[in-house]
Amino acid sequence: KATVSVLNWLWKCAATMSDDLAYYCLMAKNSHGRAAAEVVTQAISSPNVFVFGELLSLPPVAQLAEAPDTRAAYDLLLIFTYGTYTEYQERKAALGLPELSDAQLRKLQQLSVVTLASKERTLRYSDLQAALGVSDVRLLEDIIIDTITNNLVQAKLDQAARCMEVFDVFGRDVRLEDLDAMIATLTEWQQSSALVSDELGRVVAQQDAKKPRKAPDQ
């Protein structure tokens, strides 16, 4: 039942986002130069789009990297596709990235929560505050709640322990160069799961062997 619930959740997330993403992809296919850059700006500002790989792969969008007046839009899209708020802050000056609107900032902070949650199942408030550039705990909790509400993570807040407990995470776009590492991680997980399953089978067999046998009916 838990597996079905997670699959239904993932399907709901994907269905909601795909319609909005399809709209921006259609707009981008018929745009060039600054018009395409404006579509990118709209997409990263949209409250319902959190994956951008398909948009990034479109030729008119890829061409934004080739012109000085649209390069920043392309670089910003790369960060929203794969990166985090910390990366934005680190690369902002060097790449000439624009200031984020309130909507863009909140979205990038949520995407950063997703990235962190994909690596750790327990996230301390202090680590999240540092990663998101947030000093106020109430604001941090609002960002986390928005991330949960948008179906990007399944998690709960432990205000007493000042941490976030993660149960599941929506998958972000993945760079091609990261696929090998992901495959290695999944393979390791599969092997570990098989060992656990074998050990459980052995324990069950031992317990069954210890059970008293019923005498045959006379």
Side-chain angles (χ1 to χ4, degrees):
K1 291 183 179 179
T3 301
V4 172
S5 176
V6 170
L7 289 174
N8 287 338
W9 171 67
L10 290 172
W11 176 256
K12 177 183 177 183
C13 297
T16 301
M17 295 182 193
S18 62
D19 289 343
D20 292 82
L21 179 60
Y23 168 77
Y24 292 112
C25 286
L26 179 62
M27 293 287 291
K29 286 178 182 178
N30 296 288
S31 303
H32 297 280
R34 292 189 178 184
E38 176 59 28
V39 174
V40 167
T41 299
Q42 293 176 18
I44 64 175
S45 304
S46 170
N48 296 322
V49 179
F50 293 91
V51 289
F52 305 94
E54 184 178 352
L55 180 63
L56 185 66
S57 68
L58 296 176
V61 174
Q63 290 168 5
L64 297 177
E66 301 172 7
D69 61 337
T70 57
R71 174 76 202 203
Y74 179 81
D75 288 334
L76 188 59
L77 179 60
L78 279 177
I79 289 178
F80 272 79
T81 305
Y82 306 118
T84 62
Y85 177 73
T86 299
E87 184 177 344
Y88 167 78
Q89 289 290 82
E90 292 174 345
R91 305 184 66 186
K92 178 181 174 182
L95 296 178
L97 299 176
E99 293 291 336
L100 299 177
S101 68
D102 290 342
Q104 292 168 354
L105 173 60
R106 181 59 66 93
K107 176 183 284 191
L108 189 55
Q109 288 171 326
Q110 291 177 56
L111 290 171
S112 301
V113 171
V114 173
T115 295
L116 293 169
S118 69
K119 299 175 181 178
E120 300 287 343
R121 288 313 186 194
T122 301
L123 295 169
R124 295 179 300 178
Y125 277 15
S126 57
D127 292 335
L128 286 165
Q129 286 176 282
L132 306 183
V134 174
S135 58
D136 183 69
V137 171
R138 178 59 185 272
L139 176 57
L140 172 66
E141 291 180 338
D142 286 345
I143 293 170
I144 296 172
I145 291 170
D146 284 349
T147 308
I148 295 171
T149 302
N150 285 324
N151 294 314
L152 299 176
V153 296
Q154 287 186 324
K156 72 174 182 179
L157 299 179
D158 187 335
Q159 294 176 314
R162 296 173 67 85
C163 68
M164 169 184 170
E165 297 290 342
V166 180
F167 307 123
D168 217 324
V169 183
F170 181 81
R172 294 189 64 184
D173 292 294
V174 180
R175 291 182 175 93
L176 290 177
E177 56 265 32
D178 294 334
L179 287 179
D180 287 343
M182 290 187 64
I183 292 171
T185 300
L186 290 172
T187 300
E188 182 179 351
W189 174 83
Q190 183 184 36
Q191 293 170 346
S192 299
S193 298
L195 290 174
V196 171
S197 178
D198 291 344
E199 179 63 18
L200 287 174
R202 187 184 65 79
V203 171
V204 170
Q206 287 179 341
Q207 294 301 316
D208 287 344
K210 292 178 181 179
K211 292 179 180 179
R213 298 181 181 276
K214 293 182 179 180
D217 294 335
Q218 300 295 327

